[in-house]
Amino acid sequence: MDPQRLKAHFASVGEKGEDLVAYFFADLFRRAPHLRGAFPPSTARLQGKLLEALAHIVSLVDDPPALVPYLRDLGRRHGDLGVANEHYPRFGASLLAALAHFTGPDWNDDLESDWATVYSFAAQIMAEAASERVAEREAERAAERAAAAVPRQDGPRRAGHGGLERVAAGRAAAERGPGRFR
């Protein structure tokens, strides 16, 4: 992968940014119509976020130590929104289709390979972070359910109200023998 070629390419197609991301969403919903309901009626706000994310990823493509935390955060947020691992290939295919469309005849195997490499890397990091976030949420829910199932202990029990206290009192009476109540 050639980071400089990727940056130069994004600079040229980024000029058509709004059209690029609109094309991405149209292609995504054509490829996977069942995903349409997971998005708001207007994707205008998401289009801006997608373009911003792409620009940030491309700007850090040659600095993985800076890129990975950004991708992890992005993945966690996408996981919170319900993006699942099986969605990433569809998103990638639509992204490559949009990039190819707006590049026109200059789209070639090298550009496709560069973008596929970057997208695969980003998708892997994001999917891992999203899966971790889902596991964290499940653990939190399990802990909440477990806490709700444990009876509350609001201080010492009063004598005569708890089962153990009655057993202890019965044993003491039995040890004193019949007729020896004190």
Side-chain angles (χ1 to χ4, degrees):
M1 189 219 20
D2 182 343
Q4 296 314 316
R5 179 175 50 223
L6 194 74
K7 288 179 181 193
H9 179 253
F10 187 71
S12 71
V13 295
E15 294 172 358
K16 306 165 195 154
E18 290 179 17
D19 293 332
L20 176 79
V21 293
Y23 186 98
F24 164 84
F25 279 107
D27 188 79
L28 177 65
F29 299 147
R30 183 186 57 76
R31 290 174 191 263
H34 65 282
L35 292 178
R36 183 62 187 104
F39 291 86
S42 170
T43 58
R45 187 171 128 309
L46 295 176
Q47 290 175 11
K49 288 182 171 273
L50 174 58
L51 192 57
E52 184 180 299
L54 285 171
H56 195 74
I57 290 167
V58 169
S59 75
L60 295 174
V61 73
D62 50 359
D63 187 4
L67 179 57
V68 168
Y70 174 77
L71 293 173
R72 289 189 55 73
D73 180 59
L74 197 58
R76 292 173 67 84
R77 287 187 278 138
H78 278 77
D80 286 342
L81 295 171
V83 175
N85 289 351
E86 64 267 12
H87 298 142
Y88 285 99
R90 289 184 175 105
F91 294 171
S94 292
L95 177 62
L96 290 176
L99 290 165
H101 177 80
F102 284 93
T103 303
D106 291 334
W107 184 253
N108 58 44
D109 291 343
D110 291 335
L111 281 172
E112 184 172 356
S113 177
D114 287 351
W115 277 105
T117 299
V118 168
Y119 181 78
S120 294
F121 176 78
Q124 178 184 351
I125 300 297
M126 290 174 65
E128 288 171 2
S131 295
E132 290 168 9
R133 179 64 185 133
V134 168
E136 288 169 7
R137 282 196 323 255
E138 285 300 316
E140 289 167 4
R141 283 190 211 114
E144 289 170 2
R145 286 191 300 272
V150 174
R152 289 187 55 191
Q153 298 289 330
D154 293 339
R157 292 184 166 257
R158 289 179 271 154
H161 291 285
L164 293 177
E165 290 87 357
R166 283 184 280 201
V167 170
R171 282 192 183 141
E175 288 173 5
R176 287 191 299 269
R180 297 190 177 169
F181 295 99
R182 295 183 194 165

